[in-house]
């Protein structure tokens, strides 16, 4: 667990020691530049009690601002100790994630007698922007984007008073001295900004709002036409939109919200939480038409609270960009880039130092699982099992993040996005400079993906530092192992859509027996071909056709206009890259089951296939034969036969998922490693994760899944940072030549 805030030098460590000992828990606590780090071990009820009392009984001067908790495997501590401080990351003290508005500030915001009544930039030492206003350390007002706002007399008094809630609150402000709000285009009717925005939303307009980590695009979530227009203008045809609900009660009207999910919604990170929608009508169907979830967040800044007061209904709140470019943070940039998308701009004059999208989390195995790590989480460090060299890890290509390793801590950047556009690549380069400057970090080594064409790899190859190129799927499992603090041997299951394999083929259905830097590829899916390459990634029916062709030649390929072209490609082996990807197998099964013929956004077909199971309980399973080479042939035969017989897509989907789970358990038994690690984009699938974890645990294995770091490519940088220590660096080697951890 990492605790940040006023937790150092206030008797916190002795308090933790007493509390843990009293509850009969073992483990340790230490001070690090980033805050307090502690591990407590014991029976789960006692751990819950510890967490509750940690907050309730902490020393009077202690304030916990940010807390991240992970559940780790048992380490077998024999007592509780206060350990020596981590010298690493000394400089990061005070670099905190952005914190949602606290109850005291919210009360002031709503109190007509308070001088901050209705003021959109209210904050205090317990809440407000941090990472997104910081442009240097130490964390003092002159090093934030608030430096241009001189404190008025009243604010200066609060700032200097140790008894005040705003004592040394760097971003503090009030209507007299702080940032102000306005709407563009101007009108002369004198309507207050937030009322005008609420009216525009009600009229079906699209509004760009400058938030904490950049611009958001808003539309009324009940208005099908407005949502459709936003989709068209943003070039986002089907990918689900996130919603902001005015309150937890309202979220409960439209979704099933468990107590743990409610706690996530109301946490200081205030992320988007993926929730199961209830049957209550009222949300436009095109908000998330092809997803089993609704992504929901609550207002997290005073500006959002005030807007929700004027417009107390669910709104679509999506990132302020066109397609997948990085979000706009600057007023002038927003005017230019969002021109033609937004009808109205809600602007302010507090600059945003760096962009941070809204984070996305989900509950998996009863725990928080971060799918997109950005506002509210970045840049809290992840503590890893071993001391690392000074590595800069540049991540993969999609959902890119970067990371720097200092000692035993890895700071992961906020989500940077897909590196497809020049804007995204520029943001990637900016983020590298930014993170290194903020932490005064000098990399000795750069870790990148083995894929020679990734923009991140190319940057690494040209930066002039020694480079270690690491295999994508090994980085996936290394990332999960690191955040779960695993030592010793483990079976790593890395399943995703695409990653560059060591043999030059497209991997994605891999099993590794791993120990330290040694990764032995012990199993993979039987290779198949992707006719048309990229086109087959978008169009799953092509993959289905390719698998059927393997089974029965051209005659087995279903009737389609493109059938003869496809058959020719397969016959002559033209533009048919070979893959072992489980993600692509999902696409093929979705196509054969009649669930989805293509992916309009990454992972769509797999998501739809998972959603079809929808509560169906079945232990039936398709044959997926072979262990070391998982043979999909009998499985595909069975899917085709079932689909032909009119078996429900729900049952087809369940049998398919169960077959994958069986394969994992068989492999775990075969290699007999007691620890199993599940990573890669396929493990964003709740059914697959929950089922696989339950089956493995029932068979006596310890199972590790992602918690603080995404299972998708957003987690690759952490794996690279950890693996670089075992690599043999190369400078100026041709891409593709191995310079990497040992492999057998
Ligand atoms: Zn506050
Ligand atoms: Zn003031
Ligand atoms: Zn991947």
């Amino acid at each position: 667990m990492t605790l940040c805030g006023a937790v150092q030098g206030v008797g916190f460590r002795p308090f933790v020691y007493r509390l843990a000992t009293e509850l009969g828990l073992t483990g340790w606590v230490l001070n690090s530049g980033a805050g307090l780090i502690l591990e407590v071990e014991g029976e789960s009820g006692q751990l819950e009690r510890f967490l509750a009392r940690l907050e309730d009984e902490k020393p009077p001067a202690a304030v916990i601002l940010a807390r991240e908790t992970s559940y780790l495997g048992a380490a077998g501590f024999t007592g509780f100790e206060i350990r020596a401080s981590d010298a690493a990351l000394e400089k990061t003290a005070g670099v905190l994630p952005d914190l949602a508005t606290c109850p005291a500030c919210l009360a002031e915001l709503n109190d007509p007698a308070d001088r901050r009544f209705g003021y959109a930039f209210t904050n205090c030492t317990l809440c407000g922007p941090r990472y997104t206003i910081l442009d240097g350390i130490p964390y003092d007002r002159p090093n934030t984007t608030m430096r241009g706002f001189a404190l008025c007399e009243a604010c200066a008094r609060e700032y200097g008073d140790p008894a005040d809630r705003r004592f040394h609150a760097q971003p503090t402000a009030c209507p007299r001295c702080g940032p102000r709000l306005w709407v563009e285009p101007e009108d002369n009717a004198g309507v207050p900004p937030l009322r005008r925005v609420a009216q525009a939303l009600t009229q079906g307009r699209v509004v760009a709002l400058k938030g904490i980590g950049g611009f958001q695009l808003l539309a009324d979530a009940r208005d099908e036409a407005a949502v459709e227009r936003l989709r068209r203008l943003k070039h986002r045809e089907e990918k689900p939109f996130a919603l902001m609900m005015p309150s937890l009660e309202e979220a409960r009207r439209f979704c099933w919200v468990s107590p743990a999910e409610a706690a996530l919604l109301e946490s200081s990170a205030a992320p988007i939480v993926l929730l199961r929608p209830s049957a209550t009508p009222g949300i436009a169907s095109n908000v998330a038409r092809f997803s089993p979830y609704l992504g929901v967040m609550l207002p997290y800044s005073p500006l959002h609270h005030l807007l929700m007061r004027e417009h107390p209904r669910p709104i679509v709140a999506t990132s302020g960009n066109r397609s997948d470019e990085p979000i706009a943070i600057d007023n002038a940039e927003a005017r230019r880039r969002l021109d033609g998308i937004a009808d109205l701009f809600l602007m302010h004059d507090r600059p945003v130092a760096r962009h941070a999208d809204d984070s996305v989390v989900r509950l998996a195995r009863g725990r928080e699982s971060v799918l997109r790590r950005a506002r509210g989480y970045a840049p809290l460090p992840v503590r890893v099992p071993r001391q690392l060299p000074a590595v800069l890890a540049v991540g993969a290509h999609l959902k890119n993040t970067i990371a720097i390793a200092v000692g035993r801590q890895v700071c992961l950047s906020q989500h940077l996005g897909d590196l497809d556009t020049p804007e995204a690549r520029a943001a990637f380069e900016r983020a590298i400079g930014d993170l290194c400057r903020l932490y005064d970090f000098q990399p000795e080594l750069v870790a990148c993906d083995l894929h020679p064409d990734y923009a991140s790899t190319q940057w690494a190859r040209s930066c002039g530092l020694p480079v270690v190129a690491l295999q994508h799927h090994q980085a996936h499992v290394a990332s999960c192992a690191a955040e779960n603090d695993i030592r010793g041997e483990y079976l790593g299951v890395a399943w995703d859509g695409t990653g560059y394999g060591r043999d030059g083929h497209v991997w994605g259905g891999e099993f590794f027996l791993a120990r330290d830097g040694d990764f032995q590829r012990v199993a993979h899916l039987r290779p198949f071909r992707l006719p048309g390459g990229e086109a087959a990634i978008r169009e799953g029916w092509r993959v289905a056709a390719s698998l059927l062709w393997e089974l029965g030649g051209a005659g087995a390929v279903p009737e389609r206009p493109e059938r003869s072209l496809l058959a020719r490609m397969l016959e002559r082996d033209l533009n048919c890259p070979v893959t072992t990807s489980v993600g692509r197998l999902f696409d093929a099964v979705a196509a054969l089951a009649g669930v989805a013929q293509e992916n309009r956004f990454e992972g769509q077909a797999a998501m739809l296939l998972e959603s079809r199971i929808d509560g169906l309980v079945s232990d039936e399973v398709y044959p997926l034969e072979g262990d070391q080479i998982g043979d999909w042939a009998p499985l595909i035969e069975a899917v085709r036969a079932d689909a032909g017989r009119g078996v429900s897509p729900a049952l087809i989907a369940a049998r398919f998922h169960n077959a994958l789970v069986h394969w994992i358990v068989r492999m775990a038994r075969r290699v007999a490693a007691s620890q199993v690690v599940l990573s890669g984009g396929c493990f964003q699938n709740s059914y697959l994760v929950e089922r696989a974890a339950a089956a493995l645990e029932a068979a006596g294995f310890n199972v590790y899944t992602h918690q603080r770091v995404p299972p998708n490519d957003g987690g690759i940088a952490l794996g690279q940072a950890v693996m670089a220590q075992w690599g043999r660096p190369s400078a100026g080697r041709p891409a593709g030549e191995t310079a990497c951890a040992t492999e057998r």
Side-chain angles (χ1 to χ4, degrees), residues 24-369:
L25 300 167
T26 55
W28 51 264
V29 56
L30 65 74
N31 234 334
S32 87
L36 279 195
I37 303 179
L38 52 120
E39 269 184 46
V40 285
E41 181 168 322
E43 173 265 305
S44 68
Q46 289 298 84
L47 290 176
E48 295 307 318
R49 249 160 261 141
F50 176 83
L51 288 175
R53 289 181 58 185
L54 190 70
E55 186 59 55
D56 294 346
E57 298 172 19
K58 61 180 188 288
V63 179
I64 301 174
L65 291 176
R67 177 178 108 184
E68 261 200 299
T69 310
S70 311
Y71 292 82
L72 309 175
F77 298 117
T78 50
F80 198 90
E81 57 174 335
I82 298 179
R83 290 193 177 169
S85 304
D86 255 8
L89 280 189
E90 206 83 318
K91 303 216 161 117
T92 66
V95 183
L96 277 179
D98 302 303
L99 306 165
T101 309
C102 75
C105 285
L106 188 57
E108 290 174 345
L109 201 64
N110 293 329
D111 175 6
D114 194 279
R115 69 190 192 93
R116 289 188 177 86
F117 175 62
Y119 182 54
F121 304 94
T122 301
N123 64 73
C124 70
T125 42
L126 297 179
C127 74
R130 296 287 188 274
Y131 189 47
T132 54
I133 57 165
L134 190 67
D135 40 29
I137 45 178
Y139 173 54
D140 284 328
R141 195 168 173 104
N143 284 332
T144 71
T145 62
M146 287 297 291
R147 78 176 72 81
F149 301 92
L151 292 176
C152 71
E153 219 171 287
C155 286
R157 217 173 16 250
E158 294 165 343
Y159 184 89
D161 176 3
D164 197 277
R165 208 172 88 243
R166 296 195 166 85
F167 178 56
H168 285 182
Q170 307 305 342
T172 190
C174 79
R176 276 194 56 202
C177 65
R180 60 181 196 93
L181 212 57
W182 70 91
V183 171
E184 296 179 17
E186 252 181 286
D187 82 341
N188 303 319
V191 185
L194 289 164
R195 184 142 320 145
R196 240 184 108 193
V197 168
Q199 285 167 357
L201 290 171
T202 309
Q203 290 159 6
R205 304 274 170 76
V206 172
V207 175
L209 171 146
K210 185 178 186 182
I212 295 288
F215 278 80
Q216 291 173 318
L217 288 165
L218 312 180
D220 192 320
R222 302 164 306 165
D223 187 339
E224 189 114 19
V227 175
E228 206 50 55
R229 198 167 142 255
L230 177 57
R231 285 201 175 282
R232 205 178 59 245
L233 296 172
K234 209 175 126 71
H235 301 294
R236 177 150 159 162
E237 286 171 7
E238 293 190 356
K239 203 168 165 189
F241 281 139
L243 297 177
M244 186 174 278
M245 297 279 186
S247 63
L248 185 58
E249 292 66 47
E250 196 78 351
R252 286 207 165 104
R253 264 184 66 205
F254 294 105
C255 301
W256 302 108
V257 186
S258 71
E261 287 163 340
L264 289 176
L265 286 167
E266 293 189 307
S267 69
S268 69
I272 295 167
V273 182
L274 298 187
L275 300 172
R276 292 258 171 204
S278 67
T280 314
I283 303 292
S285 65
N286 51 355
V287 166
R289 189 174 278 143
F290 300 104
S291 167
Y293 300 104
L294 274 180
V296 172
M297 60 188 144
L298 296 180
Y300 54 80
S301 76
L303 181 55
H304 290 108
H305 281 289
L306 294 169
L307 175 60
M308 285 314 215
R309 207 162 65 191
E310 289 287 342
H311 184 88
R313 289 172 291 275
I315 51 173
V316 164
T318 185
S319 36
N321 54 11
R322 209 176 286 265
S323 212
D324 286 319
E325 290 171 6
I327 50 176
I329 57 173
D330 189 54
N331 291 354
E333 182 195 0
R335 283 180 201 114
R336 192 181 70 244
R337 283 176 50 198
L338 303 180
D339 178 42
I341 301 181
D343 302 302
L344 217 60
F345 289 81
L346 183 58
M347 298 287 209
H348 61 72
D349 54 1
R350 181 177 71 199
V352 177
R354 67 185 57 74
H355 77 84
D357 292 78
D358 293 316
S359 294
V360 181
V361 309
R362 189 196 64 186
L363 212 64
R365 304 174 70 204
R367 301 164 182 174
E368 178 177 21
S369 169

Side-chain angles (χ1 to χ4, degrees), residues 13 20 51 122 126 134 213 286 288-289 314 375 446 463 467 479 486 494 591 595 624 663 711:
R13 284 175 299 165
L51 288 175
T122 301
L126 297 179
L134 190 67
N286 51 355
R289 189 174 278 143
R375 179 190 51 77
V446 177
C463 75
V467 175
S479 149
I486 296 190
V595 170
L624 177 63
W663 187 26

Side-chain angles (χ1 to χ4, degrees), residues 14 40 113 190 195 318 414 418 454 532 538 572 604 689 702 715 742:
V40 285
R195 184 142 320 145
T318 185
Q414 72 276 30
D418 302 349
Y454 281 180
R538 281 191 306 276
R572 298 185 192 163
Q604 184 189 18
V689 168
N702 293 319
T742 2

Side-chain angles (χ1 to χ4, degrees), residues 89 91 388-393 403-407 432-446 459 463 465-466:
L89 280 189
K91 303 216 161 117
L388 299 176
V391 182
L392 163 68
I404 57 172
V406 184
I432 292 174
D434 181 42
L435 212 59
C436 292
R437 193 177 46 82
L438 197 57
Y439 291 101
D440 193 13
F441 176 76
Q442 311 272 349
E444 293 161 7
L445 198 62
V446 177
W459 183 91
C463 75
L465 287 165

Side-chain angles (χ1 to χ4, degrees), residues 573-601:
D573 204 18
L574 293 171
N575 191 17
C576 287
V578 172
T579 188
T580 54
S581 162
V582 169
R584 300 284 84 86
L585 188 65
F586 263 96
D587 293 351
V589 172
L592 290 172
V595 170
Q597 300 304 316
E598 53 192 8
N599 282 311
R600 303 267 182 95
F601 56 90

